[in-house]
Every structure is written in C-alpha cells, then in structure tokens.
Amino acid sequence: MAESFGWGGVKDGWRKGPWTAEEDKLLMAYVSMHGEGRWNSVPRLSGLRRNGKSCRLRWVNYLRPDLKRGQITPHEESIIIELHARWGNRWSTIARSLPGRTDNEIKNYWRTHFKKSEKSSRRLEKRKNYVIKRQRQRPQKNKREEEEEHQEQPQQVDMRKIMSQFEENDYGVSSVQSGPEMVFFWPQTASEDQCLSSIFNGEGSLPDDGLWDGLWNLDDVDGVAYDQTCVARNTQEPNQWTCLYPGYLGPHIPM
DNA sequence: AAAGAAACCAACCGCGAGGGT
DNA sequence: TACCCTCGCGGTTGGTTTCTT
C-alpha cells in the first residue's frame, strides 16, 4: 500500500517520503563527483529514484556539510526577529545572515515559536521591543552579556496611552505604523537641532512649544526611555520624523 | 500508564524568475 | 517573442516526538 502511492511510496516513477541512509549516500556521492546543481540529472547519474527537486531539497536542507546542527541560540533568535521585522517572510534572505541555518529551518522555527498563538505573538512583541532597545542603547556587547540579557522579560507598554498624549497636545502625530513606530510632522524650515530639541525636551521655537515636555518626560508615564538614535528624519519627506519606540527599560517603574 | 494535545521537523507542492533556444 | 526547462522560494502537509492531563 505505502509503496503504491502517498507518503513513502512511488508516484510517477519517483520515490517520495522520508529519505533512507542509502539514498543519502547516493546523493552525497553524486554531489562529491559532480558538484551542486543540475539537479534533474541526479536520478540519471546517481541511480536514485528521486526527482531533481527532491534531491536538491534533501541536499540543501539536510546533507550539506556546512549545516549547523542543534537548537537555534538566543543570539540567532534575535537576528531572526530583527531580520523578519525588516524582510518579512523572506526566509532565504534571512537564512543568508545565519550561516549553517536553512530557510526551511528558520521558517519552521518562526512558525513554531512566534506564529501559532496569541501567547507567541506577545512573546514576539516582547522580543522585538527588547532587540530594538538593545540595538539602540548598547550596540557593543559581549556574547555572555547578551545571553544573560535574553533571560529578561521586557514588559509590554500601552502604546495608545503615549499616542493619546501627543494627540491631546495636537502635535501632528499622523499614525502608528506597523511595529513600534510613530511619525511626527514639523515645518520643513525647522533645523534638525530644533526638531530634536523640541521632540526630546519640548524646547525651541517649534509649533506648540511649551505644551508638552518632550519624549524624555514620557518616562514618568510609561517607563519609556528615548534617545536621539530613536528618531530619524525622513530623507524623502524632510518635514516628517519617525520615532522608533525603544521598549520598556526595566522593572523599576510600575505598570 | 495511557490518551490526547502540542511542538517539532522533514518533505512536498505550486508558483515565479531567469536563462537558453 | 514565445516557449521550455531548471532552479529557488514560500506555503503547506503529515509523521514523529515530547509534553500535559
């Protein structure tokens, strides 16, 4: 039965399902003789009853000698999260930044740990906040310190609360975009220093000056710590500034 | 100890891009 | 230009293992 169709059987003359040790040996022998590529020649030249596609997949995901075995490390996890935020589900692109890991492995890891449940989503948000925070505040860290930090559980912050502060003060915040991001609009004539000063300290000659105390003082409300690396002027739209929310910075402020 | 649920992972499928003819 | 072939990518499936009740 299993040999006639379906998983582990034969379809259209090709074997399917789990690979045997013997098949792996044949495929490795083929690659060592002919190199990678020309996958559709593999069955003819190696004697395998697998189609080229299946052979390529087996080699790329399992047999390649440079593959790293074992669990994804916290450091790798951080990279995955960061790159996923940037690239989305472009698994092969992400995999290029993780030597020894395959796109399939990363995809499976993501789906298992971050995709399936609400619980996972919350975990992801926390991890994202944490990674962003670490990047912005302490870019140079040794590995041990990083791993210790991964034990921390950064807390969620109510973004709406912060946004409402801006909106109440009519600061021209246009939207909260995907991810921990908000956007300000200032007059195009304002200098960079003026904008930064106003955003962080509520100082200067910008509109609504004096109505608020700047981002630094949101600390008092939500335990948010900003620095100037959190804010960037949009090169295409000079009156537009994007502030990346750096996350919650510690347990000392009650939530 | 057993059964069901959840997690994990290998492999398949369909599609699109790119190169050759 | 159109067609074909090969390859790579992302989504999905299904078997196995581990955990929970």
Side-chain angles (χ1 to χ4, degrees), chain A residues 123-173:
Chain A
R123 181 183 173 199
L124 173 61
E125 278 308 308
K126 287 176 182 179
R127 295 287 301 160
K128 274 185 178 173
N129 284 343
Y130 174 67
V131 168
I132 290 164
K133 169 196 131 188
R134 214 188 66 218
Q135 281 181 331
R136 295 188 179 284
Q137 296 222 320
R138 278 165 291 183
Q140 306 281 323
K141 290 221 125 243
N142 68 39
K143 204 172 175 183
R144 187 170 157 272
E145 283 173 316
E146 277 182 9
E147 283 179 3
E148 281 170 1
E149 281 197 357
H150 287 132
Q151 306 306 313
E152 291 178 27
Q153 289 295 310
Q155 297 180 40
Q156 293 288 80
V157 180
D158 187 353
M159 197 66 193
R160 282 168 305 185
K161 208 163 153 189
I162 293 175
M163 293 309 296
S164 68
Q165 273 223 336
F166 288 109
E167 280 155 9
E168 275 169 22
N169 291 336
D170 192 24
Y171 268 82
V173 177

Side-chain angles (χ1 to χ4, degrees), chain A residues 73-80 98 134 143 146-147 150:
Chain A
T73 65
H75 179 60
E76 288 172 317
E77 186 188 83
S78 297
I79 293 172
I80 291 169
L98 292 162
R134 214 188 66 218
K143 204 172 175 183
E146 277 182 9
E147 283 179 3
H150 287 132

Side-chain angles (χ1 to χ4, degrees), chain A residues 80-93:
Chain A
I80 291 169
I81 291 166
E82 184 194 338
L83 294 182
H84 188 271
R86 186 181 304 168
W87 298 109
N89 292 359
R90 291 164 68 175
W91 305 114
S92 58
T93 305

Side-chain angles (χ1 to χ4, degrees), chain A residues 141-252:
Chain A
K141 290 221 125 243
N142 68 39
K143 204 172 175 183
R144 187 170 157 272
E145 283 173 316
E146 277 182 9
E147 283 179 3
E148 281 170 1
E149 281 197 357
H150 287 132
Q151 306 306 313
E152 291 178 27
Q153 289 295 310
Q155 297 180 40
Q156 293 288 80
V157 180
D158 187 353
M159 197 66 193
R160 282 168 305 185
K161 208 163 153 189
I162 293 175
M163 293 309 296
S164 68
Q165 273 223 336
F166 288 109
E167 280 155 9
E168 275 169 22
N169 291 336
D170 192 24
Y171 268 82
V173 177
S174 68
S175 62
V176 181
Q177 302 182 347
S178 62
E181 227 172 73
M182 54 188 139
V183 179
F184 306 89
F185 291 96
W186 298 116
Q188 211 160 328
T189 51
S191 74
E192 194 151 316
D193 281 345
Q194 282 177 311
C195 291
L196 286 172
S197 174
S198 184
I199 289 169
F200 285 102
N201 306 317
E203 296 168 357
S205 56
L206 291 169
D208 299 316
D209 188 27
L211 288 179
W212 71 314
D213 290 324
L215 282 173
W216 286 120
N217 297 299
L218 289 174
D219 252 341
D220 297 334
V221 179
D222 276 299
V224 181
Y226 294 83
D227 64 26
Q228 298 197 359
T229 63
C230 300
V231 185
R233 188 173 218 158
N234 186 332
T235 51
Q236 307 298 318
E237 304 286 343
N239 68 324
Q240 183 177 320
W241 290 72
T242 299
C243 177
L244 197 60
Y245 182 66
Y248 180 61
L249 285 186
H252 57 288

